[in-house]
Amino acid sequence: MTTILKTSSGHLIVTEGASRLLWSRRTDGSWRLARIWPDRHEKEEVLRHLRDGGGLLILLDLTPTVLTAFPDELDDVAVVRGHRPDESLVELTVPFLDWLPERYRHEARRFQAAVQARSGEEPAVLQAPLAVSPASAAYQNVRFAVRSRAYSGHSPEQLADLADHLFGGSIDDEEARSAHWLTRLVPMPWERAARSLLNSRQLVGGGGHV
């Protein structure tokens, strides 16, 4: 997915994690890690956007993502923060929200941990694809959306609709819309069917999808 998107209303959506690794092609067609988003100019643009009151929706993984790459894909060791589990691979870890002030990182980790705890209490089929942090006067124009084990992807248009919905109203309106700390985005048809079956105490047999 694209690292950063801008909605028609001017809000920003950033995908934290692996999407921040920006790759390019060499002349021979092989891949190389060019850099990690953002650079100094991009970071300042995001911070200016926040200072101006623009909305920022940040997509987070449920757990930290560790990626592997071949050593010959890493020309510039300065962009790499990882170690070698063996001679043929390098493990890459993207620094968590290092482009935001510490207070945002603290809030993101707190919410991510809450989602992880909730996730372990119920099967994936009953989980919301996205858990969206509630509105806060302290973080009025920044929201976090943690992708659960049930997440199967959403289009840029759907995510833009979510961002515009979250930041389109006043803080009081948004608190009403976020009465539940798990906010569902586009419920999947199979998930609705699963809930209906469970509520009627019917058992779903076999190993296929509902």
Side-chain angles (χ1 to χ4, degrees):
M1 181 179 175
T2 304
T3 303
I4 186 166
L5 298 171
K6 191 170 188 177
T7 75
S8 59
S9 300
H11 304 304
L12 298 181
I13 304 170
V14 172
T15 304
E16 177 65 16
S19 294
R20 289 178 53 201
L21 298 175
L22 304 182
W23 300 81
S24 63
R25 290 275 194 182
R26 298 188 181 96
T27 55
D28 63 2
S30 61
W31 288 100
R32 61 178 291 271
L33 178 60
R35 64 184 180 91
I36 298 178
W37 183 93
D39 59 21
R40 182 178 59 83
H41 176 71
E42 292 164 334
K43 177 179 178 179
E44 179 53 36
E45 283 187 337
V46 173
L47 296 180
R48 185 184 305 114
H49 173 81
L50 290 178
R51 289 195 298 269
D52 292 341
L56 173 62
L57 175 64
I58 303 173
L59 301 183
L60 305 173
D61 290 323
L62 188 62
T63 57
T65 301
V66 178
L67 304 172
T68 57
F70 295 109
D72 61 5
E73 294 175 322
L74 309 174
D75 288 343
D76 185 358
V77 294
V79 305
V80 179
R81 299 188 186 185
H83 72 280
R84 293 193 178 193
D86 56 49
E87 288 301 316
S88 61
L89 293 173
V90 178
E91 290 185 347
L92 308 177
T93 302
V94 180
F96 185 73
L97 293 178
D98 61 340
W99 47 280
L100 281 178
E102 173 60 31
R103 65 190 185 99
Y104 292 109
R105 293 198 295 273
H106 175 76
E107 179 65 15
R109 289 196 183 280
R110 184 200 65 78
F111 181 67
Q112 187 183 51
V115 177
Q116 288 173 354
R118 179 66 177 265
S119 176
E121 297 174 356
E122 59 185 11
V125 71
L126 295 182
Q127 294 178 22
L130 284 177
V132 181
S133 62
S136 166
Y139 306 97
Q140 185 170 352
N141 57 335
V142 176
R143 302 290 289 276
F144 305 102
V146 178
R147 294 176 285 198
S148 76
R149 290 183 292 146
Y151 186 77
S152 59
H154 290 99
S155 69
E157 292 77 16
Q158 289 175 314
L159 293 173
D161 286 345
L162 173 62
D164 288 341
H165 170 76
L166 293 175
F167 302 117
S170 67
I171 186 69
D172 293 333
D173 292 339
E174 181 46 39
E175 285 176 350
R177 287 198 294 266
S178 298
H180 300 288
W181 70 285
L182 283 179
T183 300
R184 186 173 308 284
L185 172 65
V186 192
M188 302 301 177
W190 55 263
E191 188 174 13
R192 292 198 297 269
R195 284 188 180 275
S196 176
L197 289 172
L198 288 172
N199 290 337
S200 61
R201 299 183 183 278
Q202 296 181 42
L203 296 178
V204 180
H209 296 288
V210 177

